[in-house]
Amino acid sequence: MDVLSVTPLLLLLSFLGCCAGQNVLPDGPVDAILGKSVTLKTLVDKPVYVFIIWNHNDGSEQTHVATASHTGVKVNDPYTGRVTVNQTNGYLHLEGLLASDNGDYSINIITEDGTTITGEIHLRVLEPVSTVVITPSLTEATEHNSTVVLTCDAKGSYLKFAWLMGTKAIVPDGKRITLKEEKLSSTLTITGVLRTDLPTPVTCNATNNLESQNSAPFSLIVHYGPDKVSITPPTLQIPPLQSNFSLSCASPSSPPATFSWYQNQQLLEVTGPVLTLEAIEALKLGSAVVNFTCRANNAKTQRADSSPAVSFAVMEAISGVEVSGPTSVLRARNSSANLSCRAASGQAQSVRWEQDGVAVSSAARRSFSPDMSSMFIRPLQKEDTGEFTCLLTNPINTDSASYRLLVNYGPEAVQVVGDPAVEVDTNVVLTCSAASEPPANFTWKFNGTKTDIKTAQYQIEAARYKNTGMYMCEAHNAVTGKTSTYTHTPVRQRSAGRRTLRRSHRWDRDRSPDRSRCRHRTALFLQTESAGRVSVLKKFLHSAGDPGQTSDHFVSHDASVQPGEASSWTQLVQSKPSLHHFP
């Protein structure tokens, strides 16, 4: 049977025959891009049919597209050369899609028993997305004052729009930021624009189900500021002269602000964000404390703002400190001293005096000038000897200098240290000392006669009776001209002119086989208790049976004699104590 001859019959059967609705085609719509191709697939697998007929309805009329049978496929105009039908599964493939291809496509499958299976699907032929462009109402805006309208236009079918900053979508708040969508455009409106609304470039994205395209990025310039004008450093400073100190002014502003400087509200001939110390020194303000402010101006926003005032004075660092004092010889209790402190440069705000590292304050003998630059000491005492330091301080630095004050005094507290009594042939050392500045010179007198000894020590080797007597030390200070003496009094006085003889006795156990004998020893010492005298003591030994032997154990008794009682010596030597026998 010829396909063409039966086509009217098949069309008639498709409208009048018995039809069974089945899931022949998937749900639509199916989208395809203009000029490209699309395949309308069926849901039947290798259907048994006599004819498969595809029709197209563009909404105004229905057009026969193609008919497939076991003998071949018939494609009707205007689809010739653009349409094929798969004879196995009934798929309809369209090439070079035209805008007129848009519409509903229906399929009729006629089986051998005359049953007709039908289905329908909608094809949308989409225009490609292209020419996405942002058009702004303003390219430069003023913060808080401007309203910006950005319009995104695009070509394409079934378009949707999105506004992006980077990858982040711009979300309208319904108040300041709003969006209006149309078929081929989208409008973003920002009222009272802020610097934070569009801080980075914005793009517009136009898309449909098959394609997407972004516009070129758009950057909105928002002019703002100046605000929060500040000076660094913000606190009181005392910069030293000829230093690299400067004041810096800053303020958030777009475009960058211009700056002017004021000193006590008087405009200075200085521009720029930095006020150098050199410019400040040129004002010749001395060390007076003044206020500096910075004013920032934005030519675009026509706004200006001032910083809080910063107060400071320019000072010179303290250097070249010197302390002057007396140049004459100073004597305790007779002299006074005036110490003065000054600096070669810089002005001190405080003065501190120290003696040997300890702070000095006003006292009975010490006073200060009103500015503390001078210290007066009258009269001087030996305790005033030491190193006096003057410390000058201002907010820039502290500098100091010292003066060594030497007060001559003495000699004082002369004393002699030595043994009060020695035995014959014993070495004697008497040491004389005295507090004195400078150190005293020493001379010695023996029994009122000047000796050749001129040192602090008087030494006697192998003392004899003739060395018994009065020793006087004389200390002399050549600077103060003072002399002090001390007479050595070695023995405790019992009564003037009294001499005491002490005899000691001892018995030693006889080391011989005859243990009944004991040896008797007697030692006699002469102590002279006259004031200021050194006594040389004679030791007499008497031993029964063994003369000249020494002993470590004594029993003794004392006897006293007056001067001239020579017989007492013999009596003491001849007297005998009781004998003691060892058990």
Side-chain angles (χ1 to χ4, degrees), residues 516-532:
S516 63
R517 292 191 301 115
C518 291
R519 290 174 298 185
H520 171 227
R521 300 175 185 176
T522 301
L524 179 64
F525 298 88
L526 172 62
Q527 277 188 304
T528 303
E529 299 183 5
S530 299

Side-chain angles (χ1 to χ4, degrees), residues 461-495:
E461 295 184 359
R464 297 289 184 265
Y465 293 116
K466 65 179 182 179
N467 297 125
T468 299
M470 192 82 72
Y471 289 81
M472 184 177 70
C473 172
E474 182 177 272
H476 176 71
N477 187 320
V479 175
T480 64
K482 293 184 178 180
T483 300
S484 295
T485 62
Y486 180 85
T487 301
H488 181 50
T489 306
V491 181
R492 181 179 70 247
Q493 296 186 20
R494 294 184 180 179
S495 61

Side-chain angles (χ1 to χ4, degrees), residues 170-179 188-192 194 197:
I170 298 175
V171 180
D173 60 8
K175 297 178 181 178
R176 285 194 319 106
I177 303 176
T178 60
L179 284 176
L188 173 65
T189 301
I190 304 176
T191 303
L194 302 177
D197 289 336

Side-chain angles (χ1 to χ4, degrees), residues 401-556:
S402 298
Y403 179 88
R404 178 71 180 177
L405 189 65
L406 180 63
V407 180
N408 298 284
Y409 67 92
E412 299 176 353
V414 182
Q415 62 178 352
V416 176
V417 177
D419 293 331
V422 297
E423 296 180 3
V424 174
D425 295 330
T426 302
N427 293 337
V428 178
V429 178
L430 302 179
T431 302
C432 186
S433 62
S436 177
E437 179 61 46
N441 299 318
F442 296 101
T443 58
W444 292 83
K445 292 182 179 180
F446 173 58
N447 289 334
T449 301
K450 189 174 182 179
T451 69
D452 294 332
I453 306 301
K454 295 183 179 181
T455 61
Q457 285 191 342
Y458 192 111
Q459 299 186 20
I460 305 173
E461 295 184 359
R464 297 289 184 265
Y465 293 116
K466 65 179 182 179
N467 297 125
T468 299
M470 192 82 72
Y471 289 81
M472 184 177 70
C473 172
E474 182 177 272
H476 176 71
N477 187 320
V479 175
T480 64
K482 293 184 178 180
T483 300
S484 295
T485 62
Y486 180 85
T487 301
H488 181 50
T489 306
V491 181
R492 181 179 70 247
Q493 296 186 20
R494 294 184 180 179
S495 61
R498 178 185 176 92
R499 293 183 297 173
T500 301
L501 293 176
R502 181 166 58 88
R503 185 177 57 184
S504 297
H505 305 272
R506 171 178 178 161
W507 292 262
D508 286 348
R509 184 190 301 259
D510 191 348
R511 304 305 177 188
S512 66
D514 184 359
R515 303 175 63 91
S516 63
R517 292 191 301 115
C518 291
R519 290 174 298 185
H520 171 227
R521 300 175 185 176
T522 301
L524 179 64
F525 298 88
L526 172 62
Q527 277 188 304
T528 303
E529 299 183 5
S530 299
R533 297 176 64 86
V534 173
S535 300
V536 180
L537 308 180
K538 179 66 178 292
K539 180 176 181 181
F540 298 90
L541 298 177
H542 176 73
S543 176
D546 189 8
Q549 298 299 317
T550 59
S551 173
D552 294 329
H553 302 282
F554 294 88
V555 293
S556 66

Side-chain angles (χ1 to χ4, degrees), residues 22-25 54 105-109 117-121:
Q22 296 181 7
N23 293 327
V24 178
L25 297 175
W54 282 95
Y105 286 80
S106 61
I107 186 173
N108 294 279
I109 302 175
I117 304 172
T118 65
E120 188 176 84
I121 192 169

